[in-house]
């Protein structure tokens, strides 16, 4: 079974600065997807960014980018120019690319609580 | 377009009562997922459906939990009888079959007294 580990229960950053959230995962599969979801106090799960394992290029979405290291099984999220609205729980998630069975569900890490200091 | 719709948003019930949570996936999405979020266990997949058929229910904690998807636009998660340890936020998510991304509903916060 796949596991996802987020080793930072909480991170704090000054507004306008850059912060990196860590995520490692364990899998024997070669093809999969990785995601970062944001959960603000409203509890809505919002997709931030996704990465296909077969793509070497790191995904980028505006101020959000990832550092995907497939050999190291690492998938960190970098938030540039942090804003107050970025304050939330951030969850790293894994999904197998093998169709069928239980592979279609997401396996989540425990989350990192990001605090933005004004 | 409307996102995933869940109802009720909040539910408070007493131990032993039956609880039914409802979900309407995004139109055109044919994969539907139920997750549970607790402080102790985080986010866990309970069950998911493809084209209304349950594919994997290995995450359903006990026989007290059951889920159905009678048609492409509606699913229910039922707990009977409910227990205090069932208190959690229950999320429904949907995805186009073969697509990459699951889209989550707002969740139902369940409190069992």
């Amino acid at each position: 079974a796949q596991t996802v580990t987020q080793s930072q229960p909480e991170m704090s950053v000054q507004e306008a600065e850059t912060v990196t959230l860590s995520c490692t995962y364990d899998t024997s599969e070669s093809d999969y997807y990785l995601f970062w979801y944001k959960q603000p106090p409203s509890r809505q799960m919002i997709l931030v960014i996704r990465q296909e394992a077969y793509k070497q290029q790191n995904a980028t979405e505006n101020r959000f980018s990832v550092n995907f290291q497939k050999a190291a099984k690492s998938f960190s999220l970098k938030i540039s120019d942090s804003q107050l609205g970025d304050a939330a729980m951030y969850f790293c998630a894994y999904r197998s690319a093998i169709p069928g069975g239980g592979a279609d569900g997401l396996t989540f890490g425990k989350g990192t609580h990001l605090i933005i200091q004004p | 377009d409307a996102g995933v719709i869940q109802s009720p948003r909040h539910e408070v019930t007493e131990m032993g009562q039956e609880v039914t949570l409802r979900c309407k996936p995004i139109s055109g999405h044919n994969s539907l997922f139920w997750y549970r979020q607790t402080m102790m266990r985080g986010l866990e997949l309970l069950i998911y459906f493809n084209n209304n058929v349950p594919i994997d229910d290995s995450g359903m904690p006990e026989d007290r939990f059951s889920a159905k998807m009678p048609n492409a636009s509606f699913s229910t998660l039922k707990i009977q009888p409910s227990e205090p340890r069932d208190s959690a936020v229950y999320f429904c998510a949907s995805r186009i079959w073969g697509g990459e991304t699951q889209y989550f509903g707002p969740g139902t916060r369940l409190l069992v007294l």
Side-chain angles (χ1 to χ4, degrees):
Chain A
Q2 293 78 26
T3 58
V4 177
T5 302
Q6 294 179 248
S7 59
Q8 306 153 317
E10 186 173 281
M11 292 282 286
S12 181
V13 64
Q14 291 288 131
E15 192 176 4
E17 293 188 350
T18 295
V19 62
T20 299
L21 309 184
S22 300
C23 173
T24 58
Y25 57 94
D26 187 26
T27 183
S28 59
E29 299 174 338
S30 59
D31 199 13
Y32 46 87
Y33 301 100
L34 296 165
F35 305 85
W36 279 98
Y37 279 89
K38 171 185 177 181
Q39 187 178 43
S42 67
R43 290 197 173 270
Q44 177 74 48
M45 294 290 287
I46 303 165
L47 176 69
V48 175
I49 200 166
R50 66 170 180 258
Q51 173 81 42
E52 294 90 344
Y54 63 87
K55 289 186 177 179
Q56 294 185 344
Q57 186 174 4
N58 289 324
T60 299
E61 289 287 342
N62 300 316
R63 297 183 296 108
F64 298 86
S65 61
V66 298
N67 183 5
F68 173 49
Q69 301 288 328
K70 191 172 183 179
K73 297 180 182 176
S74 171
F75 183 61
S76 61
L77 174 69
K78 185 172 80 171
I79 306 174
S80 303
D81 187 25
S82 300
Q83 300 176 1
L84 294 177
D86 296 333
M89 285 291 291
Y90 286 81
F91 292 94
C92 180
Y94 171 103
R95 184 202 141 208
S96 172
I98 301 172
D104 282 353
L106 292 171
T107 300
F108 286 92
K110 294 295 187 185
T112 296
H113 182 209
L114 178 62
I115 298 168
I116 310 294
Q117 296 183 352
Chain B
D1 288 337
V4 176
I5 298 171
Q6 292 187 245
S7 65
R9 295 291 306 277
H10 298 89
E11 177 81 21
V12 181
T13 190
E14 293 186 345
M15 181 174 62
Q17 297 298 306
E18 177 179 295
V19 175
T20 299
L21 311 182
R22 298 172 175 81
C23 175
K24 176 179 170 57
I26 294 172
S27 178
H29 285 194
N30 47 10
S31 295
L32 184 141
F33 305 80
W34 284 100
Y35 292 88
R36 179 173 67 175
Q37 184 178 30
T38 62
M39 288 294 293
M40 291 296 294
R41 301 176 65 89
L43 280 151
E44 305 173 280
L45 176 68
L46 298 179
I47 185 171
Y48 82 93
F49 298 81
N50 283 340
N51 294 317
N52 313 338
V53 176
I55 302 300
D56 182 8
D57 65 355
S58 60
M60 297 285 263
E62 313 174 19
D63 291 345
R64 300 184 295 105
F65 285 69
S66 62
K68 294 182 179 180
M69 192 166 185
N71 57 63
S73 58
F74 183 67
S75 177
T76 60
L77 177 67
K78 185 176 294 186
I79 309 172
Q80 167 63 23
S82 58
E83 296 183 2
R85 59 193 168 122
D86 301 330
S87 298
V89 180
Y90 291 82
F91 288 100
C92 176
S94 72
R95 192 192 76 202
I96 292 175
W97 169 247
E100 298 169 356
T101 302
Q102 295 180 21
Y103 296 90
F104 283 75
T108 295
R109 183 179 295 215
L110 173 65
L111 177 61
V112 183
L113 302 175

